[in-house]
Amino acid sequence: MKLIAVLLLPLLTSLTIVCPPVHYQPTNSTAGYPKLTPGTDGPADPATTQYQFNHVALLVKDLAETRKFYGDLLGMRMIFLYEETEDYSIMYMAHSQGGKNGTEYQTGAEMIAEKNDMQGLIEFTSSKSFTRSREYVPNTRQTLSHLGLIVPDVKALQERAEAFNATILKRVDDAPSLDNGSVVALGFGIDPASEEAQELIAPTKALGFFQFLVFADPDGNLIKAQQQIGSAAV
Ligand SMILES: *[C@@H]1O[C@H](CO)[C@@H](O)[C@H](O)[C@H]1NC(C)=O
Ligand SMILES: *[C@@H]1O[C@H](CO)[C@@H](O)[C@H](O)[C@H]1NC(C)=O
Ligand SMILES: *[C@@H]1O[C@H](CO)[C@@H](O)[C@H](O)[C@H]1NC(C)=O
Ligand SMILES: *[C@@H]1O[C@H](CO)[C@@H](O)[C@H](O)[C@H]1NC(C)=O
């Protein structure tokens, strides 16, 4: 049962594992929705061996502000800053991967050396010639929904984010708002004005969504934090 609950979560959320306090009662495929289909893909084409997803890239307004948010609040490290001109820069950040548990420090040089063998990096690009705002305006046509973060204690992160004055959009245990224009609903692909919004939100409770923390980076991109499996603080 626990395995099924764990498997279900990625469906509506992301490809991460959490330990939900609510056990989801699955229905079989002929009994209607929601339903879960575990992956049954066979081995990948050997030609794709060692392909791995390395980074996502965001266009940002202010690299210093971005670095403070992802660094001071979320613990990512700057791998490098590349300034092509005075106006155009690229910065890579990631959590140190000397140990995902954060116990092993890596210098910037070590992280650069390992960069193409790491996962979960973010590339931030900023250009001063971009005059338009980098504000995230969620709508159901947005293709980037959110960045997913796993933490050992999501409530402790919520306190950190509050102290940091980050924009918190959904606190742990709160229901996602269905107010018109709800950033969280729109960011997760639900039109809050639609008739089925309430119906769509309800199952997400069973899937653990209510326990997630949703907050925004300085450019308004949504970050969803979920509790690491096996942690005491659920
Ligand atoms: C699936 O659901 C249908 C309809 O509710 C039921 O008749 C069938 O026995 C179920 N199958 C399994 C494997 O649970
Ligand atoms: C942290 O991860 C490293 C390997 O990356 C491992 O050797 C070490 O035992 C881990 N420490 C804890 C406290 O889990
Ligand atoms: C957050 O806001 C409070 C009140 O405006 C301020 O005192 C505090 O310094 C701010 N914290 C940070 C990290 O900016
Ligand atoms: C949301 O907007 C729609 C269309 O503009 C309107 O019909 C509906 O009453 C609004 N709902 C709420 C809860 O404000």
Side-chain angles (χ1 to χ4, degrees):
M1 185 50 141
K2 187 165 180 180
L3 175 66
I4 289 168
V6 165
L7 282 171
L8 265 170
L9 282 154
L11 267 188
L12 291 187
T13 57
S14 73
L15 294 170
T16 45
I17 298 174
V18 307
C19 184
V22 181
H23 286 278
Y24 175 70
Q25 183 62 53
T27 55
N28 74 31
S29 61
T30 55
Y33 295 94
K35 59 184 177 183
L36 168 72
T37 307
T40 54
D41 294 349
D45 183 339
T48 64
T49 301
Q50 294 188 31
Y51 282 20
Q52 65 175 336
F53 188 77
N54 174 253
H55 67 275
V56 66
L58 300 175
L59 301 176
V60 304
K61 196 159 43 189
D62 181 337
L63 282 181
E65 208 185 328
T66 295
R67 186 177 171 188
K68 194 162 173 281
F69 180 89
Y70 284 91
D72 293 356
L73 176 60
L74 301 183
M76 286 190 172
R77 315 274 317 290
M78 189 180 90
I79 300 177
F80 67 79
L81 169 66
Y82 168 71
E83 295 170 279
E84 183 152 294
T85 68
E86 198 183 331
D87 290 341
Y88 187 85
S89 308
I90 292 172
M91 173 176 71
Y92 263 74
M93 293 184 82
H95 286 113
S96 165
Q97 292 176 21
K100 277 190 178 153
N101 53 30
T103 53
E104 289 177 33
Y105 175 77
Q106 283 184 303
T107 63
E110 284 166 346
M111 289 176 81
I112 289 175
E114 290 186 11
K115 177 183 149 293
N116 287 4
D117 199 25
M118 290 169 70
Q119 293 163 10
L121 284 65
I122 311 183
E123 174 185 337
F124 300 102
T125 299
S126 173
S127 167
K128 289 182 184 139
S129 61
F130 294 147
T131 49
R132 70 191 166 89
S133 139
R134 282 285 173 224
E135 200 179 325
Y136 170 84
V137 182
N139 58 59
T140 46
R141 288 183 304 136
Q142 271 278 1
T143 57
L144 177 68
S145 168
H146 64 278
L147 305 177
L149 190 70
I150 296 292
V151 297
D153 183 343
V154 72
K155 282 191 177 160
L157 171 58
Q158 178 169 292
E159 282 170 25
R160 278 178 69 75
E162 275 164 353
F164 194 85
N165 300 325
T167 303
I168 299 181
L169 298 158
K170 191 197 91 59
R171 287 180 163 70
V172 178
D173 296 331
D174 282 354
S177 161
L178 283 180
D179 292 347
N180 272 356
S182 161
V183 171
V184 175
L186 285 165
F188 284 80
I190 294 173
D191 179 353
S194 69
E195 279 179 15
E196 50 301 341
Q198 192 63 52
E199 213 177 303
L200 292 174
I201 289 286
T204 67
K205 181 170 189 173
L207 293 173
F209 192 89
F210 284 29
Q211 281 77 50
F212 300 160
L213 171 70
V214 182
F215 56 111
D217 81 358
D219 294 277
N221 296 299
L222 303 190
I223 299 177
K224 181 191 72 194
Q226 351 183 161
Q227 186 94 12
Q228 189 175 14
I229 196 163
S231 169
V234 172

